Amino acid sequence: MQNESVTITRNQIGQWASFLGGTTLLIGVVGFIWQGGLSPVIIGSFAIAAAMLLLWFIMTPREVKAFLTGRQAQYSTGAVFGTLLLVGIISLGYVVLQRSVITLDMTESQRFTISNETREVLRRISRPIQLTGFYSARALQLREIDDQFFRLYELESNGMVRRQYIDPDEQPALVQRYGAVDGQVYISYLNEDGSVDFSTLARVPRSESQERDVTEAISRLLISGSLTVYFSQENGELDPLSADPQGLSGINNGIQESGLITYPLSLKALAASGGNVPQDASALIMARPTTDLTDGEIAVIDRYLERGGALFIMTDVLFNENSFMQENGLFNQYLWVKFGIRALDAAIVDEVSYSGTQLDVVSAAIFPENDIAERLDQENAPTLFKIARALETNQTPPADTPNGNVIMSSPQSYGERDLKTLGETNNFGFDPNADIPGPFASVIWAYNQNSGAKILMVRSE
């Protein structure tokens, strides 16, 4: 049998080089847009494309000239290039479409729609903010879910909120600098050169509500360093620096992590010197004092509220005379007369809405007309109070001083008045001659429309 010879011509080599060059060029372009930058594979694709197109030109210069001038090339080279071009356009169109993400919420529950409250927060942004997420290959599904929300923030803020994703397996140095773990998200301002301002870096706490998590993180960043909170001291209050079970270091640290500044404050010292709560005070926290305030200390608080101060009172069920917020005590009567709110000498016992014992009261109702209750999830996460102090609002409050309830016990609850027996024996029972029928509030508020003073009182554990 006579062997057939195979002849390879310059035109064939040129055609093969053109096909391979065009294919690798499109792969490189699509890969560059897809990844948003260069990688070894993409650089290699461009290098091969350049070499093959150069070889095409060397082998068939006339065909290259015909292709570039619009003449039909031999052996259907133009048709093949046209096909490659069509495939490239479709691929690029898909990539660009995915990158631009036409934001249309087609879900019945509007799950992927930014709320008006979030839009209000985003309007206050005056400096670029970056959300930096750490996602390994194992967390790609979480990244995809998060990205759907983060894109909405970028769109609604006109690019003032940006996204950056980091693979912790590929960039361990950044993981160490952030102190991050897989799946965590951080928020920060950006410097003028686009780098992260690490002095503003904070972790975004995660829950089931992604919009609430991100919006609250942005809100904290916006107020970071601008608000100062004072903890009153020297009346038996819980120590904001103590890490023991009766301390408030966890709350104090949480406030500071939110960007707020905290300081202790002695009402006794201010009363003795005739001083005032500092002008930079955004809020004054009274964390479960055990003794009543003096007239001088009440005068300090009154001057603070007269200039529009905010007061957060954490009160407890106490069983001794001269207790803080005792029903006939000085400070309790001051709040009742001036703001129409007070604490009662009674512990809430709820025969319907409780956990463990009837003294472990679970919120039976909330009043959603105030912004405090709007943040509570009564259906999925009702609030639990252990030995709750009964609180009361005056139904006819002082003029220009509206007040209201936030959390209530059930109508089947009552106020146990015999606190001495309750404290000594933990025994209780409804006495129609002494106890008070419910329901009762465990969280109440008051607001003076003239001065702007705000008070929130809550039973604390």
Side-chain angles (χ1 to χ4, degrees), residues 97-351:
L97 181 62
Q98 187 188 51
R99 285 288 182 253
S100 62
V101 182
I102 299 175
T103 306
L104 221 66
D105 189 352
M106 302 299 290
T107 60
E108 182 177 353
S109 62
Q110 297 289 289
R111 180 182 175 190
F112 300 111
T113 300
I114 291 290
S115 67
N116 291 330
E117 291 77 10
T118 292
R119 292 190 179 96
E120 288 297 324
V121 172
L122 295 179
R123 291 190 187 102
R124 291 159 41 201
I125 299 176
S126 58
R127 180 182 174 188
I129 291 173
Q130 178 168 294
L131 293 169
T132 305
F134 287 82
Y135 306 94
S136 68
R138 300 175 297 277
L140 289 181
Q141 184 176 5
L142 176 60
R143 168 178 166 170
E144 181 179 351
I145 295 173
D146 287 346
D147 188 60
Q148 295 179 71
F149 284 91
F150 299 166
R151 287 177 186 272
L152 295 175
Y153 281 82
E154 186 171 317
L155 179 67
E156 291 288 345
S157 66
N158 294 320
M160 292 297 286
V161 177
R162 307 174 188 177
R163 299 163 289 135
Q164 176 68 40
Y165 302 135
I166 297 172
D167 189 331
D169 296 333
E170 294 183 358
Q171 302 190 54
L174 283 178
V175 172
Q176 184 175 6
R177 184 167 189 185
Y178 278 79
V181 298
D182 200 8
Q184 283 187 341
V185 177
Y186 289 80
I187 190 171
S188 65
Y189 281 121
L190 293 177
N191 297 314
E192 293 184 358
D193 61 358
S195 61
V196 172
D197 183 353
F198 280 91
S199 66
T200 65
L201 186 69
R203 184 175 61 84
V204 178
R206 309 305 298 275
S207 70
E208 295 181 355
S209 176
Q210 288 167 302
E211 181 180 359
R212 181 178 62 189
D213 297 340
V214 176
T215 300
E216 289 183 352
I218 294 175
S219 298
R220 289 193 296 268
L221 185 62
L222 294 177
I223 66 173
S224 177
S226 63
L227 300 180
T228 302
V229 176
Y230 286 86
F231 284 85
S232 69
Q233 298 288 276
E234 298 188 8
N235 284 91
E237 296 94 337
L238 300 180
D239 186 355
L241 301 180
S242 174
D244 63 35
Q246 295 301 315
L248 290 178
S249 61
I251 295 177
N252 186 51
N253 293 338
I255 293 175
Q256 291 179 343
E257 288 178 1
S258 298
L260 279 66
I261 304 168
T262 62
Y263 289 113
L265 181 74
S266 172
L267 292 174
K268 290 185 180 298
L270 292 177
S273 64
N276 295 312
V277 175
Q279 290 290 333
D280 65 348
S282 301
L284 173 61
I285 297 178
M286 306 184 71
R288 295 172 65 182
T290 56
T291 59
D292 198 7
L293 305 186
T294 64
D295 288 327
E297 293 166 338
I298 294 173
V300 172
I301 292 180
D302 183 64
R303 293 194 295 271
Y304 169 65
L305 293 175
E306 281 294 327
R307 68 171 198 252
L311 181 62
F312 180 36
I313 304 172
M314 303 164 66
T315 185
D316 204 349
V317 176
L318 300 174
F319 307 101
N320 58 296
E321 295 182 359
N322 196 37
S323 296
F324 178 69
M325 299 298 291
Q326 194 172 10
E327 196 166 321
N328 60 356
L330 291 176
F331 188 50
N332 205 29
Q333 288 300 309
Y334 161 80
L335 293 176
W336 183 251
V337 171
K338 196 153 187 175
F339 291 92
I341 59 175
R342 67 178 174 181
L344 300 176
D345 292 340
I348 301 176
V349 179
D350 201 324
E351 299 177 345

